[in-house]
């Protein structure tokens, strides 16, 4: 463990905790109190916010940008994606960014950095991606959307959308609290009521 | 048209019966899918089975607005007409 009990003057100066076996590039920017657990790897061009948790064996690469209060569980691969605050990736989630994946370019050489165009994934505030799901390059997952376990998502998901399957289909709507809304767009668990908007649902005010 | 509608009734109620474990003839037009205990996995199964057995794609946004068995049968009849 490399955690150092440093005296803190302000909340934002609390250092991140990085497990000894994790490999975090010195140039990567890691926010206060973020914890990075065993065998995780964070590349140099990555930015991670405050109060995040990266579980065991997570790889964050390719200039990914991660907000605050983000939870990334064991074995995830985050390639170039933007994750807004409060996002959760359950174990084994992959966020991909190459829409034309090849090992070699047409002239037969190993594909390098300049041989491809990045189309990273965007995951908006509060959304959750279920275990072992794969999100295709360029897809945007809406605010508080919920992607079911083992899904393959190839299309954008609206705010509060509940999708599942391969290929993922929208089967309903999910509440901020994580439960599925009923036919009246009301949460049976917490009672919150939502309205339909062009981009999905939002809380009724 | 009436024959087609009856066919779609049979298909829809049969599938809903299979998914919910209820007898197909106990499912009536006014039955709500939520009353059949269909969770998100049940809805996914419904979408896939309907497409397999009717041979027509059912867009997610159309199935999302379905609340009752009647809604579902109307949707199937209209997609048959436009096919
Ligand atoms: Zn709720």
């Amino acid at each position: 463990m490399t955690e150092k009990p440093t005296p803190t003057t302000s909340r934002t100066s609390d250092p991140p905790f990085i497990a000894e076996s994790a490999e975090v590039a010195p140039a990567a920017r890691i926010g206060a109190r973020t914890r990075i657990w065993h065998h995780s790897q964070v590349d140099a061009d990555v930015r991670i916010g405050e109060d995040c948790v990266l579980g065991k064996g997570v790889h964050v690469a390719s200039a990914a940008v991660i907000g605050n209060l983000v939870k990334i569980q064991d074995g995830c691969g985050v390639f170039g994606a933007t994750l807004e605050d409060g996002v959760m990736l359950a174990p084994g989630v992959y966020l991909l960014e190459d829409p034309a994946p090849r090992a070699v370019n047409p002239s037969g050489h190993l594909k390098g950095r300049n041989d491809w165009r990045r189309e990273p994934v965007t995951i908006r505030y509060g959304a959750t991606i279920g275990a072992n799901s794969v999100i295709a390059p360029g897809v945007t997952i809406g605010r508080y959307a919920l992607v079911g376990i083992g899904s393959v998502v190839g299309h954008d998901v609206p705010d509060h959308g509940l999708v599942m399957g391969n290929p993922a289909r929208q089967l309903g709507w999910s509440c901020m609290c994580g439960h599925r809304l009923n036919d009246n767009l009301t949460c049976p668990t917490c009672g919150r009521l939502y309205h339909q908007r062009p981009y999905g649902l939002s809380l009724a005010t | 048209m009436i024959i087609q509608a009856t066919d779609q009734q049979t298909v829809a109620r049969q599938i809903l019966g299979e998914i919910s474990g209820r007898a197909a003839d106990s499912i009536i037009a006014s039955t709500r899918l939520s009353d059949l205990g269909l969770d998100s996995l049940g809805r996914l199964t419904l979408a896939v089975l309907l497409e397999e057995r009717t041979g027509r794609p059912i867009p997610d946004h159309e199935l999302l607005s379905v609340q009752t068995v009647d809604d579902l049968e109307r949707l199937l009849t209209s997609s048959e007409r436009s096919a």
Side-chain angles (χ1 to χ4, degrees), chain A residues 158 162-173 180 182-185 196, chain B residues 32-34 38-41 43-44 47-48 51 58-60 63-64 66-67:
Chain A
L162 167 60
V163 304
M164 192 190 251
N166 177 9
R169 305 188 62 162
Q170 194 184 347
L171 306 162
W173 302 99
R180 181 166 172 242
N182 65 20
D183 290 342
N184 305 317
L185 301 182
Q196 190 98 41
Chain B
R32 303 182 74 85
L33 268 53
S34 54
L38 252 62
D39 56 6
S40 39
L41 189 55
R43 283 216 167 225
L44 180 58
V48 171
E51 290 181 340
I58 301 169
D60 291 352
L63 206 54
L64 261 184
V66 165
Q67 299 188 1

Side-chain angles (χ1 to χ4, degrees), chain A residues 29-87:
Chain A
R29 281 167 45 191
I30 314 292
R33 296 173 302 281
T34 284
R35 287 169 287 159
I36 299 178
W37 291 100
H38 312 286
H39 303 290
S40 282
Q41 180 179 335
V42 177
D43 293 355
D45 43 9
V46 166
R47 280 187 290 150
I48 299 179
E50 300 180 353
D51 298 294
C52 296
V53 183
L54 273 65
K56 177 176 172 154
V58 171
H59 187 190
V60 185
S62 198
V65 177
I66 296 174
N68 301 325
L69 302 161
V70 170
K71 221 179 219 187
I72 302 180
Q73 297 189 304
D74 297 1
C76 290
V78 176
F79 304 108
T82 299
L83 275 56
E84 295 187 359
D85 295 354
V87 162

Side-chain angles (χ1 to χ4, degrees), chain A residues 175 177 187 190 192:
Chain A
C175 183
C177 78
C187 177
C190 73
R192 285 186 175 88

Side-chain angles (χ1 to χ4, degrees), chain B residues 16-64:
Chain B
L16 286 170
E18 290 170 28
I19 297 171
S20 66
R22 281 180 44 168
D25 54 12
S26 75
I27 298 169
I28 58 171
S30 61
T31 304
R32 303 182 74 85
L33 268 53
S34 54
D35 294 334
L36 293 171
L38 252 62
D39 56 6
S40 39
L41 189 55
R43 283 216 167 225
L44 180 58
T45 312
L46 174 67
V48 171
L49 289 180
L50 281 170
E51 290 181 340
E52 271 178 18
R53 294 193 198 166
T54 64
R56 291 184 190 80
I58 301 169
D60 291 352
H61 68 271
E62 289 185 8
L63 206 54
L64 261 184

Side-chain angles (χ1 to χ4, degrees), chain A residues 1-154:
Chain A
M1 303 296 165
T2 53
E3 190 177 29
K4 293 184 196 84
T6 43
T8 52
T9 47
S10 79
R11 288 273 294 155
T12 48
S13 68
D14 296 342
F17 163 80
I18 296 167
E20 209 173 302
S21 61
E23 285 187 45
V24 176
R29 281 167 45 191
I30 314 292
R33 296 173 302 281
T34 284
R35 287 169 287 159
I36 299 178
W37 291 100
H38 312 286
H39 303 290
S40 282
Q41 180 179 335
V42 177
D43 293 355
D45 43 9
V46 166
R47 280 187 290 150
I48 299 179
E50 300 180 353
D51 298 294
C52 296
V53 183
L54 273 65
K56 177 176 172 154
V58 171
H59 187 190
V60 185
S62 198
V65 177
I66 296 174
N68 301 325
L69 302 161
V70 170
K71 221 179 219 187
I72 302 180
Q73 297 189 304
D74 297 1
C76 290
V78 176
F79 304 108
T82 299
L83 275 56
E84 295 187 359
D85 295 354
V87 162
M88 170 162 171
L89 308 183
V93 166
Y94 276 84
L95 310 180
L96 307 179
E97 65 169 341
D98 187 353
R102 294 287 193 211
V104 287
N105 59 27
S107 47
H109 300 292
L110 194 65
K111 236 173 96 169
R113 277 190 170 266
N114 300 322
D115 289 324
W116 61 297
R117 190 167 48 88
R118 297 178 54 222
E119 273 186 40
V121 165
T122 302
I123 308 209
R124 303 216 48 214
Y125 185 93
T128 298
I129 314 298
N132 259 333
S133 293
V134 177
I135 315 294
V139 166
T140 296
I141 307 289
R143 291 165 61 90
Y144 286 112
L146 189 57
V147 174
I149 294 169
S151 300
V152 176
V153 185

